Amino acid sequence: MDPLEILTDLENVVPFFQPIFSADEHRVIGYEVLGRYVSKNAVYSLGPFFQDDQIPDEYKFEVDQLLLKQSLEKALELDEDVYIFLNRTADILMYENGETFLNELLSYEKKGMKLGRIVIEISEQNYKGDLDQFDHLLQYYRTYGIKIAIAKIDSNSNFFDRIGQLEPDILKINLQILKSSINGVAFNDVLYSLSLLARKIGAALLFENIEQDYQLQFAWKNGGRYFQGYFLSEPNADFIHRNFMKEKLKEKFHEFISYEKKKLGLFYEKAEFFQLKVQELVLKNKKTSYEELFQSLMKEMDQIAFRLYVCDEDGFQKSPNFFKGENGWLIQNEYVHKNWSWRPYFLENIIKMRNERKGILSDLYSDIETGETTRTFSYPINDNDFLFMDLSYQYLFEHDELL
Ligand code: CA
């Protein structure tokens, strides 16, 4: 589409609205405004126009303002708790120090559009201006109740920095982009970290570009509070009924919940299996030395575990490692007296095991030495000694409730 054609034919520039649904109510909670150009009965996205570096900010700003007016005018007919998501690059927001944009918003506030309903989706793509000034502007907007969403992930390190600095209200995650920018194995872990970070800073996760069933499930499972994408609803010139997807979402969630509950049930059964098995071996070897306990563990857990050791309550290792290499079990004495209290959840788990007198099957993580995905079953032998048993990937693979 020729930019000049668009600029000389502004009456055919119109906003489209893509609904955003919530996980807690299963109904429409907002719309993202997307620019469209209508020509000869075809509808074109204005995305390429806004991304074109050759087009001066002045023109982009003009088109943006036009879309803003049209969409806010139309949004006056919405319920008063429906959010309006506006895409803005840092350059365009900083244009005229952001004043014209804010004044337009304020004029609609007088007509009944509360500014707390406005969410600005920021993209800092290629922004070369002063970041401090930009952040200052955003803080100023926030004093009016305007919300901030971060959407673009250009480089991951920068993304995490900016999340920390801006503390956005919403993190918008594009599953397609994220997946292509991070290698497959780390993808789930990065997403998991994002969901933890979002929780810590009180930001909601919005997953966009949901196009298939499994992506919705993925978003739900990873703490997504808001969903958007063709699977739910495409962008339209008009608003849709708020309960448009309510039944379908309820049905889908029911499937996701059942599946997850079943998986968790099997996981707890597995944890119980380890509890009983280890308890039995510990009791059997109660009167003897740990040497004999390890002998029977190596025998019984030969196809299950690849590392065994005992620590005291402060995390100092009291035994060597019993490690299963390619040629069978071997003893690694160099691990005696090492301290593991610095590892995440270590002390929490010690206290939990001691209080509940029960073992714990850990979450999935990568072993720092072998690099393989593992879980650890830890078990309180008595008030001072705790057994740790790292499970082999092969075993996890064969029991997929553990993966
Ligand atoms: Ca967007």
Side-chain angles (χ1 to χ4, degrees):
M1 190 77 327
D2 180 7
L4 260 182
E5 192 183 331
I6 294 167
L7 288 165
T8 53
D9 186 25
L10 289 177
E11 52 268 42
N12 283 314
V13 166
V14 292
F16 264 42
F17 303 92
Q18 188 167 31
I20 295 164
F21 298 83
S22 78
D24 44 348
E25 292 184 295
H26 299 165
R27 60 178 192 155
V28 176
I29 57 90
Y31 289 91
E32 177 177 357
V33 176
L34 299 161
R36 294 290 189 264
Y37 176 65
V38 185
S39 170
K40 299 177 193 86
N41 293 326
V43 179
Y44 300 92
S45 166
L46 286 176
F49 171 83
F50 285 114
Q51 277 149 27
D52 190 340
D53 291 336
Q54 304 298 315
I55 299 172
D57 285 350
E58 192 187 338
Y59 297 142
K60 290 182 187 169
F61 183 76
E62 192 185 341
V63 175
D64 252 344
Q65 283 293 104
L66 177 65
L67 288 165
L68 178 67
K69 274 183 218 171
Q70 290 175 316
S71 51
L72 291 183
E73 193 64 42
K74 194 166 165 58
L76 293 173
E77 69 188 61
L78 290 167
D79 288 351
E80 286 190 5
D81 60 342
V82 177
Y83 293 102
I84 296 295
F85 288 67
L86 303 167
N87 289 288
R88 286 294 181 280
T89 63
D91 284 310
I92 296 297
L93 271 181
M94 289 297 281
Y95 188 77
E96 293 177 343
N97 297 318
E99 276 173 28
T100 314
F101 174 66
L102 182 62
N103 286 336
E104 195 64 53
L105 292 179
L106 288 170
S107 76
Y108 277 90
E109 190 186 32
K110 288 200 191 84
K111 296 183 188 174
M113 178 79 199
K114 287 203 192 70
L115 296 195
R117 291 168 57 191
I118 302 293
V119 183
I120 307 179
E121 284 190 37
I122 306 165
S123 150
E124 296 178 344
Q125 223 166 5
N126 305 323
Y127 181 60
K128 306 234 165 40
D130 186 329
L131 265 188
D132 283 342
Q133 270 181 27
F134 179 57
D135 290 359
H136 192 77
L137 177 72
L138 294 180
Q139 292 311 336
Y140 179 61
Y141 282 170
R142 282 181 142 169
T143 62
Y144 289 93
I146 295 169
K147 298 189 169 45
I148 303 297
I150 295 193
K152 282 276 184 297
I153 304 179
D154 290 329
S155 81
N156 299 312
S157 57
N158 185 39
F159 181 67
F160 278 97
D161 279 358
R162 295 300 286 151
I163 291 171
Q165 285 156 1
L166 290 175
E167 300 201 355
D169 303 279
I170 292 170
L171 288 182
K172 212 167 170 179
I173 296 177
N174 182 334
L175 288 179
Q176 262 94 8
I177 290 185
L178 191 63
K179 199 150 202 165
S180 60
S181 63
I182 303 165
N183 79 60
V185 186
F187 176 68
N188 285 323
D189 299 327
V190 171
L191 201 60
Y192 179 66
S193 313
L194 268 177
S195 72
L196 291 184
L197 179 65
R199 185 166 172 268
K200 289 278 179 204
I201 63 171
L205 291 184
L206 190 166
F207 285 84
E208 63 179 333
N209 280 341
I210 293 177
E211 287 176 0
Q212 293 179 57
D213 189 291
Y214 81 92
Q215 291 172 323
L216 181 65
Q217 181 171 21
F218 189 82
W220 166 79
K221 208 189 156 181
N222 285 284
R225 181 169 186 198
Y226 304 125
F227 312 120
Q228 180 185 351
Y230 277 69
F231 183 68
L232 303 160
S233 175
E234 58 196 17
N236 298 295
D238 290 304
F239 301 128
I240 59 169
H241 194 283
R242 290 191 78 173
N243 289 336
F244 174 67
M245 286 293 286
K246 203 175 171 86
E247 283 313 308
K248 188 174 171 191
L249 278 174
K250 208 175 150 191
E251 205 178 290
K252 284 283 155 210
F253 273 46
H254 178 71
E255 282 170 26
F256 304 159
I257 293 164
S258 305
Y259 176 82
E260 210 58 36
K261 275 165 73 181
K262 194 167 161 225
K263 202 175 165 193
L264 284 170
L266 290 170
F267 174 82
Y268 280 100
E269 271 175 30
K270 241 334 153 230
E272 199 54 32
F273 161 79
F274 284 117
Q275 172 70 23
L276 295 173
K277 195 89 197 149
V278 173
Q279 190 172 41
E280 181 197 319
L281 294 175
V282 167
L283 283 174
K284 212 185 268 176
N285 293 282
K286 206 173 180 171
K287 300 252 154 56
T288 61
S289 67
Y290 280 162
E291 190 66 32
E292 275 160 84
L293 171 62
F294 280 119
Q295 288 303 335
S296 54
L297 280 167
M298 283 186 282
K299 196 165 142 246
E300 297 279 337
M301 300 293 169
D302 188 56
Q303 300 301 316
I304 298 175
F306 73 94
R307 189 192 285 121
L308 305 160
Y309 57 97
V310 168
C311 283
D312 71 12
E313 60 178 303
D314 292 341
F316 285 99
Q317 194 162 328
K318 293 177 85 167
S319 75
N321 276 357
F322 293 82
F323 182 85
K324 195 181 176 190
E326 287 190 355
N327 303 313
W329 291 92
L330 47 102
I331 298 176
Q332 299 171 316
N333 281 308
E334 64 273 27
Y335 287 86
V336 181
H337 302 314
K338 285 205 182 198
N339 186 266
W340 304 112
S341 61
W342 52 272
R343 297 183 62 173
Y345 310 117
F346 189 91
L347 290 176
E348 263 172 86
N349 283 344
I350 292 281
I351 299 300
K352 195 163 181 237
M353 283 190 276
R354 196 151 70 181
N355 286 345
E356 295 174 7
R357 300 189 179 279
K358 213 170 178 239
I360 294 173
L361 186 54
S362 81
D363 61 347
L364 278 179
Y365 65 98
S366 295
D367 186 79
I368 42 176
E369 284 179 12
T370 66
E372 289 212 327
T373 301
T374 182
R375 288 181 188 267
T376 301
F377 182 72
S378 42
Y379 179 87
I381 299 174
N382 54 48
D383 275 354
N384 308 308
D385 296 355
F386 300 84
L387 171 73
F388 293 84
M389 183 169 93
D390 297 336
L391 308 183
S392 73
Y393 181 71
Q394 187 59 33
Y395 181 76
L396 299 182
F397 185 76
E398 286 160 7
H399 298 80
D400 66 353
E401 67 271 24
L402 293 176
L403 279 179

